[in-house]
Structures are given as C-alpha cells and as structure tokens.
Amino acid sequence: MEAVGVLGLVVVVLAWVFFWVWDSSEGMKSQEQVGLLGSGSRTLLVIAHPDDEAMFFAPTVLGLARLRHQVFLLCFSAGNYYNQGEIRKKELVQSCDVLGIPPSRVAIIDNRCHIDSQLAVFRKRLLT
C-alpha cells in the first residue's frame, strides 16, 4: 500500500511540474506575440472606396489600435460616384479619426482613372 501512495504522490508532483512548465511557456509565447504586435508596429490598410474602412474593417482597425499599432489608410478613390467626392473624403477622414487613425495618416488617391463605380475596373499598372 505504501508503494501505491508513493507512486500516486510522484504522479501528482510530475503532473504539477508538467502543467507549471507548460503554463509558463504559454505565458512566454503571449509576451512574445505582444512584443511583435505591440507599440511601434505599423499597419497599412488599403481600401478601394470611402466607407470601406467602416463597413468591412472597423473591428480590425480597432483591434490594431488596441495593440497600439500605428495604422495608416490608403484609399484608391474619392467616392465620387454621385458627385459627392468632397463630402465622402471628409466623411472618410472623420470615420478614420473615430477609429483611431489620425487625419495625417489617411491618404486618398483622387484620380480620374480610379472612378467610384461598381462597373469600374482599377488598372493594376496604375496601382503599383
């Protein structure tokens, strides 16, 4: 009976050591990930139209801001489909500001070759 008790105690101690080592290695991974994705990291979000940042990427932008990324935004059109390009550009900058992207990190390409239309196809050569 004493051998079973000693064996049980050894199993408990080994299990405790195993879980302690495993838990500390998981903690190190999390700290490494935070270091890689933390303060000072920069991310460029590229969108086709104003309002894409809010409609499709708001959770991503907010998550990156929570990780203290510097998020930059590049928009390939002014959103001038209904001749509202100036309004939509202002709305984009305001939306980005709410999401944590300052106006100084927002760039809008206002080029007639990149019209805001569901039928338009952006020319790859002009985008690269």
Side-chain angles (χ1 to χ4, degrees):
M1 266 314 191
E2 287 181 30
V4 173
V6 171
L7 183 62
L9 181 61
V10 168
V11 168
V12 168
V13 169
L14 287 175
W16 178 79
V17 168
F18 171 78
F19 286 116
W20 180 76
V21 169
W22 181 69
D23 186 49
S24 63
S25 71
E26 287 297 313
M28 286 191 298
K29 285 181 187 176
S30 297
Q31 290 172 356
E32 289 172 3
Q33 289 171 350
V34 168
L36 290 173
L37 299 176
S39 183
S41 294
R42 293 181 285 177
T43 302
L44 174 64
L45 178 63
V46 179
I47 61 174
H49 314 102
D51 77 17
D52 289 356
E53 81 291 345
M55 288 177 50
F56 305 114
F57 301 108
T60 300
V61 172
L62 293 172
L64 290 169
R66 197 174 310 121
L67 292 172
R68 296 195 174 119
H69 275 240
Q70 293 179 7
V71 180
F72 297 81
L73 185 127
L74 175 61
C75 182
F76 277 118
S77 80
N80 201 28
Y81 188 62
Y82 295 109
N83 294 321
Q84 296 180 337
E86 292 304 314
I87 294 170
R88 296 201 59 207
K89 285 194 281 187
K90 289 177 185 175
E91 290 173 345
L92 173 65
V93 171
Q94 291 172 347
S95 173
C96 286
D97 198 31
V98 168
L99 292 171
I101 305 172
S104 62
R105 295 187 191 156
V106 177
I108 302 167
I109 297 175
D110 194 359
N111 186 328
R112 290 188 181 266
C113 294
H114 300 148
I115 61 171
D116 185 26
S117 168
Q118 294 177 356
L119 304 175
V121 177
F122 286 6
R123 299 179 193 156
K124 291 179 188 176
R125 202 176 105 241
L126 294 174
L127 299 177
T128 56

